[in-house]
Amino acid sequence: MQTSPPAGPPRRPSATPPSAPGGFENTPLTIDIPPSRRELSHHDIIFTGSGSEYFRIWIVNLLLMLLTLGLYYPWAKVRKLRYFYGNTIVAGYPLAYHADARQSFRGFLLVAALMAVYSLAGQTSPLASGLAGLILAAIWPALFRASLQFRMGNTSWRGLRMGFNGSLKDAYLVFLTPMALVIGTGVLMAVIMPFLGQALGHVASLLIGLAMLLMLALIGPYTWWRLKRYQHSHYTLGQLQTQFKAGFGDVSRVFLQTSLLGLGALVLLGGMLAVMLARSGLSLRSPGTPEVWTALLGQASILLIGFGLLTQFLVGAFYTSRMHNLVWGRTGNRQMRFKGHLHVGAVARVSAVNLFLLALTLGLYWPFALVAMTRLKLHAIEVISRLSPEQLMARASPAQNDAAGDFAADLIGVDVGL
């Protein structure tokens, strides 16, 4: 009779979870989910909202905000988000937004009070204004984190609450590191550069100065990358947590390409202005008549308007599409990831139509414009998953109770990325 070989000692789990295709690894929230052998399923995100439906919500919100001197803003925002989330379909199921407008109103009053104190301090003295600004800067990372926790904690899919688990320490590091680089570079340029000029000569000091200016120019993309990495590395859905795999080089490449495209447009504008000036016959010896100058200024104005439209529809569309695809294409985990396929031409076309109709309707086309751009961006995101929708139905995350951060982000003008 055959006997089975004795079982060996139990295998210890690996300390490092295996990497997944596409560079995503298991996170602590996904280790206990067994790898699925299912074929990858692809789900397009669909937006079913319409401009005419949202226009009715928008016009009522606008009128009530005017009648209440802005105090209706929390209710207006909740109504807007419920409409947009409820019309966003992911894998056949809509999102839902559960925030309580009364709870949000308390957060709104808190942030409004902070902004009022800052405004009053600015009218009192420069010192008071500076101190109030420092206080706001000191609490801003905490408010930003609360914003993400509140928004995600009140968002659900099939009854499963989403979440955000970024730490308060990391929120402060997102902003403190770029600030330290700016302050350090400024001190070097103000204090050390004169001594370097005497010791190394003017050429060497000029090169060092240019290097410092280049460092300052990179602070913006660097801060933006740290911000997106903080956001997209801490979104959760049940037991799944996202990672953000884009590096600073990937982000800076998009910024560099956009800058070169804008510079090319500026060079084109300068060349056309030079040709126009040459054809007009104007020079130091021949200053020209008022009629010639009037015609030249009219042509130059048309060129400037054309340049503005070119940068808006081409350069802006290039940046929007490239960054959209980069951010979503590098967000995900071992079980589920995203893919962005937003096209430059589509963004430019929708932007041009929106701007034309906004001007034609004196701004009343705004709800239709917002719906059109939202639909374009959401339809350009694809969800690729190893798990079926039923497998994602794990335990729900509790909702967050602090509403102050969400409205802080709106008042100060920072996009929370949703």
Side-chain angles (χ1 to χ4, degrees), residues 59-116:
I59 197 67
V60 172
N61 285 345
L62 181 62
L63 292 175
L64 290 176
M65 286 181 62
L66 291 175
L67 290 175
T68 61
L69 301 179
L71 293 178
Y72 186 75
Y73 175 76
W75 284 267
K77 180 169 183 177
V78 167
R79 290 187 65 200
K80 170 188 173 182
L81 291 179
R82 284 180 179 172
Y83 177 78
F84 276 88
Y85 281 35
N87 284 281
T88 301
I89 312 299
V90 182
Y93 298 91
L95 299 178
Y97 190 64
H98 307 276
D100 183 0
R102 291 173 297 180
Q103 177 191 22
S104 300
F105 183 67
R106 294 194 294 268
F108 172 75
L109 291 180
L110 172 62
V111 177
L114 289 174
M115 299 303 295

Side-chain angles (χ1 to χ4, degrees), residues 107-394:
F108 172 75
L109 291 180
L110 172 62
V111 177
L114 289 174
M115 299 303 295
V117 170
Y118 175 73
S119 178
L120 291 175
Q123 298 177 6
T124 303
S125 69
L127 178 60
S129 176
L131 290 176
L134 288 176
I135 293 174
L136 279 178
I139 65 175
W140 165 244
L143 291 175
F144 179 72
R145 174 175 174 263
S147 166
L148 292 170
Q149 288 181 319
F150 178 80
R151 181 72 68 89
M152 298 304 297
N154 284 288
T155 302
S156 70
W157 178 75
R158 295 189 65 183
L160 179 62
R161 289 293 179 107
M162 299 182 184
F164 181 82
N165 63 3
S167 68
L168 184 60
K169 173 186 174 182
D170 289 338
Y172 274 93
L173 288 177
V174 167
F175 299 98
L176 287 179
T177 302
M179 286 179 60
L181 290 174
V182 171
I183 294 173
T185 304
V187 170
L188 286 174
M189 294 185 69
V191 178
I192 299 179
M193 282 299 294
F195 298 99
L196 290 177
Q198 296 176 1
L200 302 177
H202 296 293
V203 176
S205 62
L206 179 61
L207 293 177
I208 295 174
L210 290 176
M212 290 182 178
L213 289 176
L214 178 61
M215 180 182 294
L216 289 176
L218 292 174
I219 292 297
Y222 180 66
T223 305
W224 192 94
W225 168 69
R226 291 180 64 87
L227 185 66
K228 287 299 175 183
R229 186 180 64 172
Y230 178 68
Q231 287 179 267
H232 286 250
S233 293
H234 297 98
Y235 292 138
T236 64
L237 175 64
Q239 297 184 23
L240 295 177
Q241 176 179 330
T242 59
Q243 294 176 314
F244 187 60
K245 304 300 292 185
F248 173 59
D250 301 315
V251 170
S252 59
R253 190 177 303 114
V254 175
F255 274 92
L256 177 61
Q257 292 171 345
T258 306
S259 300
L260 292 177
L261 191 61
L263 181 61
L266 188 61
V267 170
L268 177 63
L269 173 66
M272 295 180 68
L273 288 175
V275 171
M276 183 186 305
L277 186 63
R279 293 184 60 182
S280 66
L282 296 177
S283 64
L284 294 177
R285 296 182 178 180
S286 178
T289 62
E291 291 78 9
V292 173
W293 276 105
T294 300
L296 183 62
L297 289 176
Q299 296 174 7
S301 300
I302 295 175
L303 273 181
L304 289 174
I305 294 174
F307 174 74
L309 295 177
L310 178 65
T311 54
Q312 173 70 25
F313 300 140
L314 181 59
V315 181
F318 177 85
Y319 173 82
T320 299
S321 61
R322 289 295 186 271
M323 199 60 77
H324 177 278
N325 295 338
L326 173 64
V327 168
W328 286 109
R330 300 296 181 87
T331 298
N333 53 45
R334 188 172 184 266
Q335 306 294 339
M336 181 175 62
R337 61 185 178 88
F338 300 88
K339 181 180 179 182
H341 47 83
L342 187 61
H343 300 290
V344 178
V347 178
R349 181 174 62 254
V350 172
S351 299
V353 172
N354 284 347
L355 182 61
F356 173 75
L357 292 177
L358 280 170
L360 191 64
T361 61
L362 301 179
L364 290 177
Y365 187 74
W366 170 250
F368 299 87
L370 182 59
V371 166
M373 188 58 72
T374 300
R375 179 184 296 110
L376 178 67
K377 290 182 177 181
L378 288 178
H379 285 192
I381 301 175
E382 183 181 8
V383 182
I384 304 174
S385 176
R386 293 183 183 275
L387 302 175
S388 66
E390 288 71 24
Q391 289 175 301
L392 290 174
M393 299 301 296

